[in-house]
Amino acid sequence: MNALIKSATIVDSKSDFHNETVDILIEKGRISKIAKHITNPKNYQEIKRDHLHVSQGWFDSSVSFGEPGYEERETISNGLKTAAYAGFTAVALNANSNPVIDSYADITFVKSKAQNNAVSLYPIGALTQRSKGEDLAELYDMTNAGAVAFYDYQHPISNPNLMKIALQYASNFNGLICSFPQESRISGLGVVNEHINSTKLGLKGNPALAEELQVARDLFLLEYTEAKLHIPTISTAKSVELIRAAKAKNLDVTCSVAIHNLMLSDVVLEDFDTNYKVLPPLRTSKDCDALIEGLKDGTIDMVTTDHNPIDIEHKKIEFDYAKYGTVGLESAFGALQTLFTTKKTISLLTQGKSRFKIKSTTINEGEIADLTLFNPNTSYEFSTEHITSRSKNSAFLGTTLKGKTYGIIANDLIALK
C-alpha cells in the first residue's frame, strides 16, 4: 500500500514531528518520508481532509462483536469495519459469544475471521470453561493460539480459590488474568446504581459495595500470588482508592474504565431509557469525578468503549428485562474530547497496548504506518447516522460530541470513511 497524506498535524509526543503540520509519505506500508511538502512521486493515492490530524493507532481493550452465535448483534467483519471508521487499529475481543471462546480452536477461529483487515484483532479467551466460573479453561493452549488475556466477560468469579489458582497458573507463562469487579451476592438482582435515583425510579439497586468488595478481594489474592491482574471497567470512587493503594505497594495491577461511566451519571435514567442499562451501572457524579481524577493521576491505566452491541429485541423492552450493554466505538473520540484536551484524549486511546502484548509504533520515518486520522475541531449531535454497528444501542444518542474520525491506515491497508 502506497499513499501520501497531505497537510496533517501529527499528535504523537514520541514523534520528531509532534505538533507539526506536514506531509507523510507511506510506501509499502511503512513511513518513508515526513516533510513540510512532499511531491507525489508515483501518482500514489493522496489523502486530504479538513483539519486533518494523525496519531498513533488507537487501541480498545474491551469489545464484543457477537460472532459466533450472536451475528444478529454484530459480526466480526462489520465490527472491525466499525472499529476502523472509529479510529481503532487494534481491539481486544471479549469471549462474549455463543459458544464462548474458551479453547485453542475458538481462538484460531476468531483470528481467521479477522485476517487481511486493517484492524488487528487480539482475542481474549474465557477464564473458565463456558464462562461458568467452575473450572479453568485451556489457558495455556489459548495462549499458544494467540489469546492475549483471559476474562469471563461481565461474569464475576465468585470462588476466591479458583481466582487464586488462575493467578498462580497464568504466572507460569506470563498470562494476564482479568476479573470482573462485582460480588454477585451483594449486587443481587440490582439493575442500576443503588442510590437516591434507584429509589425514585423504583428500580432494584446494585450498590457500589458489590464492586468494591470484589476489587478488595482480588487485590488481596494478587498480593498473595505475586501474579499480574487486570480489573476491567471499574466504576466507583472507592475502587479508584483501592487500586491506587495497591499500586503504591507495587502490585502488578492495571485497570480500565468505560467511557460512558466517565461521562454519564445515574441521573440520565429518569426516562427509563434502556440504552443506559450498562454493567457496571452508571454511578453518581461523585464517582465520575473520581474516575476522571484516577485517569489524570495514572491510577486508571486505560479507557475502553466496552463496546457491546445488543439487538433491538433485547433492548427495546422493559428496563428490568433489557440486556446490559452499549455500543461505544463510534462515540469514543468525541465523548472523551468533551472531558479532556486532544493531547490527553489521544494518550488515553493509545495507552494499554503493552499490557495486552501489543507493540506500539511512533510516527517517524522508517516506522510501520499504524495511524489514526481525525479532526478534533468539530462538534455535532451524535445520532444513529453515525453508527456503523449493526446494533444501535448507544448511550450517547442525542449527546453533543466534539471531534470526528476519518479512519485508519494500518496493516498495509487504508480504511477511511
Side-chain angles (χ1 to χ4, degrees):
M1 177 272 297
N2 303 307
L4 177 60
I5 302 174
K6 300 293 291 184
S7 299
T9 301
I10 292 178
V11 184
D12 179 5
S13 59
K14 295 181 179 179
S15 170
D16 298 334
F17 302 89
H18 179 50
N19 282 337
E20 293 186 27
T21 300
V22 294
D23 292 353
I24 305 171
L25 180 63
I26 300 169
E27 296 181 291
K28 297 181 180 179
R30 193 174 289 272
I31 299 171
S32 61
K33 186 177 181 181
I34 301 176
K36 286 293 183 182
H37 177 74
I38 300 175
T39 301
N40 197 332
K42 297 179 181 178
N43 199 30
Y44 293 157
Q45 176 181 347
E46 289 196 8
I47 298 171
K48 300 177 181 178
R49 295 288 191 278
D50 292 337
H51 302 289
L52 180 58
H53 288 59
V54 177
S55 73
Q56 296 180 29
W58 302 344
F59 167 63
D60 194 342
S61 62
S62 177
V63 302
S64 300
F65 289 153
E67 187 178 4
Y70 299 121
E71 286 83 359
E72 71 278 7
R73 301 178 186 176
E74 187 61 286
T75 62
I76 290 175
S77 175
N78 194 66
L80 293 174
K81 177 183 176 182
T82 300
Y85 288 174
F88 292 87
T89 63
V91 295
L93 179 69
N94 292 308
N96 185 23
S97 57
N98 184 25
V100 167
I101 302 167
D102 65 356
S103 69
Y104 186 103
D106 294 332
I107 297 294
T108 302
F109 169 77
V110 295
K111 287 188 68 178
S112 69
K113 297 288 287 188
Q115 285 183 344
N116 303 316
N117 200 289
V119 180
S120 297
L121 183 148
Y122 296 89
I124 297 175
L127 180 57
T128 65
Q129 294 176 23
R130 300 179 300 283
S131 290
K132 295 291 186 182
E134 297 170 355
D135 300 293
L136 287 184
E138 302 170 2
L139 307 189
Y140 184 65
D141 281 353
M142 285 191 286
T143 296
N144 290 336
V148 295
F150 307 101
Y151 176 31
D152 288 351
Y153 181 70
Q154 293 190 346
H155 291 283
I157 304 298
S158 60
N159 183 344
N161 192 52
L162 183 63
M163 177 55 67
K164 182 199 74 172
I165 292 169
L167 288 165
Q168 290 174 323
Y169 177 57
S171 66
N172 291 311
F173 52 88
N174 199 32
L176 179 62
I177 299 298
C178 307
S179 177
F180 184 63
Q182 179 172 285
E183 169 48 79
S184 296
R185 287 163 292 193
I186 297 292
S187 61
L189 299 176
V191 292
V192 297
N193 182 50
E194 183 182 88
H195 199 245
I196 294 169
N197 281 313
S198 62
T199 304
K200 281 183 181 178
L201 299 172
L203 294 171
K204 297 182 180 69
N206 178 344
L209 176 66
E211 174 172 311
E212 294 150 8
L213 278 177
Q214 193 82 343
V215 169
R217 184 206 74 173
D218 288 341
L219 291 174
F220 274 116
L221 291 171
L222 178 64
E223 186 172 14
Y224 176 81
T225 58
E226 298 181 347
K228 68 177 185 178
L229 174 69
H230 179 69
I231 304 176
T233 60
I234 65 170
S235 68
T236 78
K238 184 67 175 177
S239 291
V240 177
E241 291 178 18
L242 290 166
I243 293 169
R244 185 178 288 125
K247 289 190 170 187
K249 295 196 294 187
N250 293 318
L251 297 187
D252 193 352
V253 59
T254 54
C255 65
S256 68
V257 60
I259 295 170
H260 47 266
N261 283 109
L262 285 175
M263 278 195 65
L264 304 172
S265 71
D266 58 0
V267 297
V268 300
L269 296 169
E270 291 177 353
D271 293 329
F272 297 90
D273 186 342
T274 57
N275 283 328
Y276 298 126
K277 186 176 180 182
V278 291
L279 195 67
L282 302 177
R283 304 288 187 183
T284 67
S285 58
K286 178 183 175 183
D287 292 305
C288 293
D289 291 342
L291 293 165
I292 292 169
E293 186 58 36
L295 281 171
K296 289 179 177 178
D297 69 17
T299 300
I300 302 175
D301 301 271
M302 63 197 83
V303 296
T304 175
T305 67
D306 204 23
H307 181 82
N308 188 8
I310 303 295
D311 56 281
I312 193 170
E313 287 82 2
H314 290 98
K315 266 297 184 183
K316 290 292 184 181
I317 56 176
E318 198 173 332
F319 199 97
D320 276 340
Y321 302 109
K323 287 192 175 296
Y324 294 102
T326 175
V327 294
L329 287 167
E330 299 98 327
S331 56
F333 177 63
L336 285 172
Q337 279 225 131
T338 66
L339 297 174
F340 303 103
T341 64
T342 298
K343 180 181 177 181
K344 181 63 176 178
T345 295
I346 299 308
S347 175
L348 293 174
L349 289 169
T350 53
Q351 289 173 193
K353 291 183 181 180
S354 61
R355 190 61 163 175
F356 288 83
K357 305 173 185 176
I358 299 168
K359 184 179 179 181
S360 292
T361 61
T362 60
I363 305 178
N364 283 310
E365 293 177 357
E367 293 282 350
I368 292 172
D370 188 84
L371 307 173
T372 297
L373 286 68
F374 59 95
N375 174 359
N377 302 321
T378 183
S379 296
Y380 62 99
E381 183 176 301
F382 190 70
S383 69
T384 55
E385 295 177 2
H386 303 109
I387 298 176
T388 309
S389 301
R390 282 190 172 189
S391 299
K392 311 300 179 184
N393 56 303
S394 172
F396 290 103
L397 290 174
T399 303
T400 299
L401 304 182
K402 183 183 177 183
K404 65 180 180 180
T405 54
Y406 294 126
I408 64 172
I409 298 175
N411 290 335
D412 206 9
L413 294 168
I414 298 173
L416 299 175
K417 296 178 185 177

